[in-house]
Amino acid sequence: MIPASKRTTGQGRWPGKQCIDPFKADFDMLQTQPVSRSVRLNGFSTCLRLEAVYWSILERIAAVNHCSVSAVLSYVDREIHLRQGGVRNFSGLIRVICVAWLQDPPAAH
C-alpha cells in the first residue's frame, strides 16, 4: 500500500510521476476473502470458489435479470459450451464476466 504521505502529495514510488491510490477510503478487505458455494449448473452440482466481491456482482447481475445466481451461472456455462466448446478455468471466466459487466453495465442497474 502507498504510504499516506505519498498519497497526499500525489507522488508514488517513482519521483515526478503522479500516483492514484487504488484503495477507496472505506475499502473492505473482507471482499477479498474466497467464498465457496455449491451451485447447480444445468442440472449438475458443483462447487465454485470466488472472492466475496464477485458473488456480490453476480447477485447484482441476477437481480437485473430477475433470476437466481445459479441461473446466471448456468447460462454462462451453457453459452461457453455452445460458443467455445467449454473453458478450462470457469471461475476465471466468471471473474472476467463480472468485471466486463461492471465496465459496461446495462441501463437497468
Side-chain angles (χ1 to χ4, degrees):
M1 186 155 110
I2 301 165
S5 62
K6 297 285 186 181
R7 278 185 264 148
T8 56
T9 63
Q11 296 293 313
R13 288 189 137 136
W14 301 278
K17 301 271 185 188
Q18 276 297 97
C19 182
I20 299 171
D21 190 346
F23 289 95
K24 292 176 14 181
D26 60 347
F27 185 78
D28 180 5
M29 283 300 291
L30 292 177
Q31 291 294 301
T32 68
Q33 295 298 310
V35 176
S36 296
R37 290 193 188 174
S38 294
V39 295
R40 289 189 76 76
L41 300 178
N42 300 308
F44 293 95
S45 292
T46 190
C47 185
L48 189 60
R49 184 177 167 112
L50 298 168
E51 292 76 10
V53 68
Y54 293 109
W55 289 112
S56 296
I57 297 166
L58 285 169
E59 288 165 4
R60 289 172 58 190
I61 294 169
V64 167
N65 287 288
H66 307 289
C67 65
S68 67
V69 169
S70 286
V72 171
L73 294 172
S74 288
Y75 174 80
V76 171
D77 181 58
R78 185 173 46 253
E79 286 299 309
I80 200 64
H81 282 289
L82 291 172
R83 296 177 188 199
Q84 301 291 324
V87 66
R88 287 182 176 219
N89 184 354
F90 186 72
S91 56
L93 171 66
I94 296 302
R95 288 181 185 95
V96 171
I97 285 172
C98 287
V99 171
W101 187 81
L102 289 175
Q103 287 179 327
D104 190 23
H109 82 258

